């Protein structure tokens, strides 16, 4: 059996049947993206690696819960790793530590992004480029709401408090941002 | 449509609501299909966001640690399965106890018992029939035996004595046929009348002045009949033979009319 030819969902059936090779393949396929998301949220490589390990451990341990829901494996994996990362980020926030500046964070991401061991899957790269391009095309104020809610795990009240913007404006920006992203991704064929 | 809740949908998709607000949105969505469709689209867009993040390879130790944990978990699961795996006898008992076994066994027992009862009843009936048939066969055999004896006497007679009717039944006639040992004889009678139920014909073997009862008999509607006589003493030791009409149970000495009388072995 050529494991690499199997779809994510087929591999999850194998995970459920306790085939560790299936988890190995899924890890190779998604660990860099999970790491990227985790790093963006927790802004610390070691903590992000903990998130990666815990995310895939949950894939192994909670495979049954994936089978019982609908949706793609990637969406399920990113959802659970994002939640883990945000939990970690909240713990870090309450602990006094030196915060990295945005410039430092971007530098770190660039360095790690150039790591030659990253398995670049062609379709993933294309999709990545499309989403990045779509995000960059958003007005800054709209992108900020997306970033703060999704990647920083802030609630609308926390965003309002941090940005001094009324709640209604935050609602509008979030709605417009998602509408525009959807249009852009659909036109690029990146979303069904 | 609740506009306030509808406004929250984009932030719900982005996980940008408090727990209470999320619960309120979810409660609202249950009965609002249109809003569910709107949310589906928003979620599909949000699910694309991770693809916009730069991929970063974790260190190889992350995978090593993960796979070691997985293998340890596999070993634990196998151990656990070994421990909880019941023996074949326990599994069989479980099947019988909680599965279809017990009802099936009960049904099978009931059905078996029912058919066994039917079978026993049938056997009992067969037994009764066979007993009846055996009795009939025994009667037939006895009759055949008697007929055989009569036939032997008829074909190999030693002594034949003719006995005439008395004044009470002058037309009556009888013949006594005796075998060589003279302990058996047959009496053939004719021209008698069929008696009512209160009376019977009784045969007497007479020795000197003493009459010995030698059996009761009836005749056909035509007035004839054949009877086998068994005697402990040789019939040749008697002087005469007679037939009288007696009450149905018979008598110790002749009490009624003597209708047949003749001397034995005079010729």
């Amino acid at each position: 059996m050529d494991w690499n030819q199997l779809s994510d969902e087929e591999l999850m059936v194998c995970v459920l049947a306790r085939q560790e090779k299936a988890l190995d393949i899924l890890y190779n396929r998604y660990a860099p993206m999970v790491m990227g998301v985790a790093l963006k949220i927790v802004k610390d490589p070691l903590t992000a690696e903990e998130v990666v390990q815990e995310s895939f451990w949950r894939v192994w341990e909670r495979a049954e819960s994936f089978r019982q829901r609908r949706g793609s494996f990637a969406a399920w994996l990113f959802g659970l790793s994002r939640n883990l990362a945000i939990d970690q980020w909240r713990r870090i926030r309450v602990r006094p530590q030196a915060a990295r500046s945005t410039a430092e964070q971007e530098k770190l991401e660039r360095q790690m992004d150039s790591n030659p061991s990253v398995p670049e899957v062609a379709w993933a790269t294309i999709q990545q480029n499309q989403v990045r391009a779509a995000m960059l095309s958003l007005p800054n104020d709209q992108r900020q709401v997306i970033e703060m809610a999704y990647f920083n795990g802030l609630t609308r009240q926390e965003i309002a408090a941090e940005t001094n913007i009324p709640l209604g404006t935050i609602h509008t920006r979030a709605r417009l941002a998602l509408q525009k992203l959807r249009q852009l991704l659909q036109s690029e064929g990146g979303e069904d | 449509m609740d506009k306030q809740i509808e406004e929250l949908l984009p932030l719900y998709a982005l996980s940008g609501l408090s727990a209470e607000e999320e619960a309120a949105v979810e409660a609202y969505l249950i009965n609002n299909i249109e809003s569910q469709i709107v949310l589906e689209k928003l979620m599909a867009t949000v699910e694309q966001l991770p693809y916009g993040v730069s991929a970063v390879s974790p260190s190889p130790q992350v995978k090593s640690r993960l796979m070691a944990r997985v293998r340890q978990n596999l070993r634990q699961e196998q151990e656990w399965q070994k421990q909880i795996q019941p023996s074949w006898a326990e599994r069989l008992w479980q099947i019988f106890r909680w599965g279809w076994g017990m009802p099936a066994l009960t049904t099978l027992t009931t059905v078996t018992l029912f058919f066994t009862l039917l079978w026993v009843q049938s056997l009992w009936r067969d037994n009764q029939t066979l007993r009846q048939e055996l009795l009939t066969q025994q009667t037939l055999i006895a009759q055949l035996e008697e007929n055989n004896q009569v036939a032997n006497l008829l074909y190999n007679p030693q002594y034949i004595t003719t006995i005439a009717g008395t004044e009470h039944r002058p037309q009556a006639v009888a013949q006594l046929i005796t075998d060589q040992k003279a302990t058996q004889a047959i009496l053939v009678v004719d021209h008698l009348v069929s008696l009512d139920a209160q009376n019977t014909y009784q045969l007497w073997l007479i020795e000197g002045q003493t009459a010995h009862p030698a059996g009761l008999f009836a005749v056909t509607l035509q007035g004839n009949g054949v009877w086998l006589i068994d005697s402990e003493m040789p019939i040749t030791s008697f002087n005469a033979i007679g037939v009288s009409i007696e009450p149905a149970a018979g008598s110790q000495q002749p009490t009624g009319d003597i209708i047949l009388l003749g001397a034995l072995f005079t010729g």
Side-chain angles (χ1 to χ4, degrees):
Chain A
M1 180 164 57
D2 186 355
W3 290 90
N4 286 307
Q5 295 298 312
L6 296 179
S7 69
D8 297 344
E9 286 69 31
E10 286 167 340
L11 287 167
M12 279 306 287
V13 171
C14 297
V15 167
L16 202 56
R18 308 329 255 163
Q19 301 268 325
E20 62 175 287
K21 181 66 183 170
L23 185 72
D24 191 312
I25 301 294
L26 285 168
Y27 183 92
N28 291 344
R29 222 173 256 183
Y30 287 105
M33 292 180 70
V34 171
M35 179 71 182
V37 171
L39 192 58
K40 188 172 177 64
I41 294 169
V42 300
K43 302 170 184 68
D44 175 65
L46 289 177
T47 310
E49 284 185 342
E50 281 175 30
V51 169
V52 172
Q53 190 187 322
E54 188 58 27
S55 297
F56 281 93
W57 170 247
R58 290 193 183 187
V59 168
W60 175 258
E61 203 184 22
R62 301 180 187 180
E64 179 64 28
S65 68
F66 167 69
R67 201 174 65 88
Q68 290 168 351
R69 70 188 286 283
R70 61 199 182 90
S72 69
F73 167 76
W76 178 64
L77 174 65
F78 292 143
L80 75 85
S81 52
R82 176 193 169 274
N83 290 339
L84 282 170
I86 285 171
D87 286 346
Q88 286 288 352
W89 170 237
R90 284 177 182 151
R91 276 191 214 109
I92 291 167
R93 273 201 306 180
V94 297
R95 286 201 303 263
Q97 63 175 5
R100 282 193 180 88
S101 67
T102 308
E104 281 176 326
Q105 176 67 22
E106 283 174 357
K107 186 182 171 189
L108 177 66
E109 284 184 24
R110 274 198 304 276
Q111 281 172 347
M112 298 189 82
D113 197 18
S114 63
N115 189 328
S117 68
V118 173
E120 291 289 339
V121 183
W123 66 267
T125 309
I126 294 165
Q127 199 171 18
Q128 197 173 46
N129 289 336
Q130 286 170 349
V131 177
R132 273 187 199 174
M135 283 289 282
L136 287 171
S137 70
L138 291 178
N140 283 340
D141 51 4
Q142 290 177 16
R143 189 168 62 244
Q144 184 189 34
V145 172
I146 299 278
E147 294 268 350
M148 291 180 91
Y150 189 79
F151 291 110
N152 294 350
L154 299 182
T155 64
R156 60 185 186 128
Q157 287 88 351
E158 288 168 333
I159 297 168
E162 204 154 303
T163 57
N164 285 322
I165 297 169
L167 281 174
T169 308
I170 290 168
H171 297 164
T172 307
R173 287 178 183 177
R175 179 170 48 79
L176 291 173
L178 289 180
Q179 274 175 359
K180 186 164 186 188
L181 276 176
R182 180 174 169 77
Q183 284 165 4
L184 289 168
L185 292 172
Q186 272 184 331
S187 66
E188 295 283 347
E191 194 188 324
D192 292 334
Chain B
M1 270 184 138
D2 186 329
K3 279 204 168 184
Q4 275 189 322
I5 298 279
E6 293 286 331
E7 269 190 9
L8 294 180
L9 290 179
L11 280 155
Y12 177 86
L14 287 162
S15 304
L17 298 180
S18 66
E20 294 78 19
E21 288 166 342
E22 277 187 354
V25 171
E26 282 161 8
Y28 172 78
L29 286 170
I30 292 170
N31 296 316
N32 288 277
I33 295 171
E34 277 181 40
S35 302
Q36 285 177 30
I37 295 166
V38 170
L39 182 65
E40 281 283 321
K41 288 177 182 171
L42 292 169
M43 293 293 278
T45 306
V46 169
E47 282 171 5
Q48 297 293 309
L49 294 177
Y51 291 101
V53 177
S54 300
V56 180
S57 278
S59 66
Q61 288 80 9
V62 176
K63 188 177 177 184
S64 301
R65 284 197 298 268
L66 171 73
M67 297 315 284
R69 196 175 173 188
V70 164
R71 279 188 281 276
Q72 189 188 1
N73 174 252
L74 271 177
R75 281 194 296 274
Q76 282 172 344
E77 281 183 355
Q78 283 164 359
E79 281 296 312
W80 181 71
Q81 279 197 342
K82 273 184 199 168
Q83 283 172 7
I84 63 156
Q85 200 162 25
S87 68
W88 67 268
E90 285 170 329
R91 272 181 285 176
L92 197 65
W93 169 242
Q94 291 295 328
I95 288 168
F96 269 97
R97 192 173 178 192
W98 303 114
W100 47 264
M102 194 56 99
L105 188 65
T106 309
T107 308
L108 187 68
T109 308
T110 309
V111 169
T112 307
L113 198 65
F114 176 73
F115 281 106
T116 305
L117 280 172
L118 282 182
W119 181 61
V120 167
Q121 200 176 19
S122 157
L123 280 180
W124 185 81
R125 276 199 303 266
D126 287 349
N127 185 32
Q128 290 296 104
T129 308
L130 284 173
R131 276 168 182 269
Q132 196 65 40
E133 283 177 6
L134 183 64
L135 205 63
T136 308
Q137 294 291 332
Q138 283 172 339
T139 309
L140 282 171
I141 287 167
Q143 202 170 343
L144 279 171
E145 185 77 18
E146 193 176 310
N147 288 347
N148 194 35
Q149 288 171 349
V150 170
N152 276 336
L153 281 168
L154 287 172
Y155 283 107
N156 303 295
Q158 186 67 25
Y159 306 105
I160 300 174
T161 304
T162 301
I163 305 157
T166 63
E167 70 275 12
H168 298 292
R169 187 70 182 167
Q171 67 271 42
V173 65
Q175 273 198 324
L176 185 72
I177 304 162
T178 313
D179 65 356
Q180 285 182 341
K181 290 179 185 173
T183 53
Q184 274 194 330
I186 55 170
L187 180 72
V188 183
V189 299
D190 200 6
H191 300 301
L192 298 185
V193 290
S194 183
L195 299 174
D196 57 33
Q198 279 76 42
N199 294 296
T200 185
Y201 290 110
Q202 187 160 9
L203 181 67
W204 305 95
L205 290 170
I206 301 157
E207 185 188 16
Q209 295 301 311
T210 309
H212 297 275
L216 307 174
F217 64 88
V219 295
T220 63
L221 288 172
Q222 288 73 38
N224 56 49
V226 178
W227 285 273
L228 185 68
I229 301 166
D230 276 310
S231 172
E232 289 177 3
M233 292 167 64
I235 292 171
T236 48
S237 63
F238 295 99
N239 307 116
I241 186 168
V243 172
S244 64
I245 296 172
E246 300 295 333
S251 305
Q252 288 302 310
Q253 290 296 314
T255 56
D257 295 335
I258 293 174
I259 54 161
L260 280 165
L261 186 64
L264 286 174
F265 314 116
T266 53

